[in-house]
Amino acid sequence: MSAIEHLLKPHVRDIGDFAVRRVLPSAAAQTVGPFIFFDHMGPVAMPPGKGMDVRPHPHIGLATVTYLFDGEIMHRDSVGSEQVIRPGDVNWMTAGHGIVHSERSPDAARAAGARLHGIQTWVALPQDYEGVDPSFTHHPADTLPKLERPGVRMVVIAGDAFGVRSPVAVFSRTLYVAIDMEAGASLVIPQEHAQRGLYLVEGEAALDGEALPLEHMALLSPGQPVTLTAAAPSRLMLLGGDPLDGRRFIFWNFVSSSKEAIESASQRWEEDRFPRVPGETERIPLPARRA
């Protein structure tokens, strides 16, 4: 039996000064555990004066999770948060019934020429929590659990893994781990989580001897341990957890178990009835619906 149940190919999307590789959602799988969106940003080095500028935009029904390998992002949102995220930190923003945020390169990084490399994910909230009040939490790198195995270093970003638990509060059982491996190292991925995905950020790796292509996500066959090996220095993201409690609808930045909630959020944004981000005057308009 193959260790890989599905192999998800990224779709490249241009978001201005750089491109991202989007793996979730996909035709083969809308979600892996609670994760419904997975973007690999960069690596990119921008010239002096250039930087990331994602203007204010809304979310409902999800939590955004940002984890960087390189660079900095200034996060601002409508609950009053203003936080720079740096490599190894975790920004977790719960949208609930509605939040607005912007993401920009800090002034100093922009002046020097901003760099950026990292992962952004959305976690779909369980139906009972889709309408919670919006909130934001920041977890510095030194507060996250670190694990070491021979030739392997891991950070438990959110949820539980390998016997330890992250301090990041989650809404359902979650698996999210950053893994760095030396050439020749191996790691057994246990079967303790119902759904598991492995994304190869950089390097060269295999699952039970089956090659994992660069910048692809392997959905692991359930109910069995899998041995991950690295043929070169490699970086991977392990994610998953318990399955979601039903289908989710997605339009633009909105995720919900209810089409009506998405229609309501779209109308609120068009009518400028979402809360504002302090200090921001721009906003991204609602995109046109596909026919």
Side-chain angles (χ1 to χ4, degrees), residues 29 62 108 119-120 128-129 174 183 220 260 269:
L62 56 87
I119 305 292
Q120 285 199 318
D128 289 346
Y129 294 94
T174 301
L220 305 187
E260 291 75 20
W269 185 248

Side-chain angles (χ1 to χ4, degrees), residues 36-38 73 112 115 146 152 155 171 192 205 243 268 282:
I36 197 165
F37 176 96
F38 184 101
I73 297 174
R115 304 186 316 277
K146 312 293 192 300
V152 181
V155 179
F171 291 87
E192 59 186 345
R268 278 193 287 150
E282 298 180 294

Side-chain angles (χ1 to χ4, degrees), residues 35 65 67 90 92 123 144-145 155-161 164-170 172-178 193 238-240:
F35 292 89
V65 190
Y67 188 82
V90 172
W92 180 289
V123 172
L144 302 176
V155 179
V156 181
I157 298 170
D160 66 281
V164 301
R165 182 176 299 275
S166 167
V168 177
V170 295
S172 61
R173 193 173 184 202
T174 301
L175 169 69
Y176 197 24
V177 182
H193 290 274
L238 171 64
L239 67 157

Side-chain angles (χ1 to χ4, degrees), residues 58 100 252 254 262-276 283-287:
V100 180
W252 191 35
F254 304 137
I262 289 179
E263 290 294 337
S264 175
S266 299
Q267 186 172 353
R268 278 193 287 150
W269 185 248
E270 281 199 303
E271 296 173 354
D272 198 14
R273 291 190 286 113
F274 268 83
R276 297 291 186 95
R283 67 199 301 270
I284 298 177
L286 188 79

Side-chain angles (χ1 to χ4, degrees), residues 90-225:
V90 172
N91 273 5
W92 180 289
M93 183 185 75
T94 301
H97 60 70
I99 198 168
V100 180
H101 76 132
S102 66
E103 296 168 294
R104 302 183 186 272
S105 296
D107 292 343
R110 186 186 304 272
R115 304 186 316 277
L116 190 63
H117 189 202
I119 305 292
Q120 285 199 318
T121 59
W122 294 352
V123 172
L125 301 178
Q127 293 182 33
D128 289 346
Y129 294 94
E130 287 182 320
V132 298
D133 290 338
S135 62
F136 174 83
T137 56
H138 174 77
H139 296 268
D142 61 6
T143 66
L144 302 176
K146 312 293 192 300
L147 297 171
E148 291 199 11
R149 304 287 190 272
V152 181
R153 295 174 302 282
M154 294 180 281
V155 179
V156 181
I157 298 170
D160 66 281
F162 301 97
V164 301
R165 182 176 299 275
S166 167
V168 177
V170 295
F171 291 87
S172 61
R173 193 173 184 202
T174 301
L175 169 69
Y176 197 24
V177 182
I179 304 172
D180 286 287
M181 304 181 72
E182 298 174 5
S186 64
L187 176 70
V188 174
I189 309 297
Q191 70 269 35
E192 59 186 345
H193 290 274
Q195 295 183 342
R196 300 164 295 165
L198 266 169
Y199 179 82
L200 182 58
V201 177
E202 55 193 21
E204 189 177 338
L207 294 163
D208 283 356
E210 188 173 352
L212 173 57
L214 185 66
E215 297 169 354
H216 285 59
M217 183 181 292
L219 303 188
L220 305 187
S221 296
Q224 63 181 38

Side-chain angles (χ1 to χ4, degrees), residues 11-22 39-40 44 54:
H11 298 280
V12 179
R13 295 176 180 262
D14 189 344
I15 62 170
D17 289 308
F18 58 94
V20 299
R21 286 161 295 286
R22 183 160 299 167
D39 264 7
H40 177 192
V44 62
V54 180

